[in-house]
Amino acid sequence: MGHMKRTANTSRTPAPSGSSPAAGYGELQELVNDLYARKPSGSVERIDVIMRAQVNDLNDDLMEVVNLLPAGSYKRARLCDQLNSILTAHGWAYVYGTVE
C-alpha cells in the first residue's frame, strides 16, 4: 500500500451495519507488522508505536486509536489486545479491521 494521506472518516459514531471497510482497513495490521519485523518476540514502547504510525501516515481515526494507547512497553500480543479494545470501543473494528 502507498503512504498517501487518506481522508479521515469524520464520523465519531459506530459504523452502521452493512457499512463497508474504510480506505484505512488493514493499516493497523501493517503498523504492527512493521513494529515487530526485526524483533518478533521483543517489546516496543508507546512512543515507538506513535512514531511508526506517523511514518506510515495513518489517517486521523487510526492516529486517535494509537494515541489512546496507555504508556508502557508492549509485547506484540498485548499491543494487539490494546489496539483491538480501542477499535471495539469506538465501533471501528469492522471499518478498520482488528490486529493480531
Side-chain angles (χ1 to χ4, degrees), residues 16 32 38-39 43 53 55 58-59 64-65 74-76 93:
V32 170
R38 289 192 172 92
K39 48 182 165 185
S43 296
V55 167
L58 297 187
N59 70 35
E64 181 177 335
V65 170
Y74 293 92
K75 296 264 188 196
R76 186 178 181 125

Side-chain angles (χ1 to χ4, degrees), residues 48-98:
D48 298 325
V49 180
I50 292 170
M51 290 174 55
R52 173 49 77 174
Q54 291 171 344
V55 167
N56 287 14
D57 202 21
L58 297 187
N59 70 35
D60 291 342
D61 287 348
L62 295 179
M63 284 304 301
E64 181 177 335
V65 170
V66 169
N67 284 319
L68 287 171
L69 281 171
S73 181
Y74 293 92
K75 296 264 188 196
R76 186 178 181 125
R78 182 167 175 253
L79 177 63
C80 291
D81 287 347
Q82 288 288 331
L83 291 172
N84 289 336
S85 293
I86 296 166
L87 285 164
T88 300
H90 278 72
W92 292 341
Y94 178 75
V95 177
Y96 291 113
T98 55

Side-chain angles (χ1 to χ4, degrees), residues 31-52:
L31 171 74
V32 170
N33 292 344
D34 290 347
L35 286 165
Y36 294 97
R38 289 192 172 92
K39 48 182 165 185
S41 61
S43 296
V44 296
E45 299 294 321
R46 177 181 182 265
I47 190 68
D48 298 325
V49 180
I50 292 170
M51 290 174 55
R52 173 49 77 174

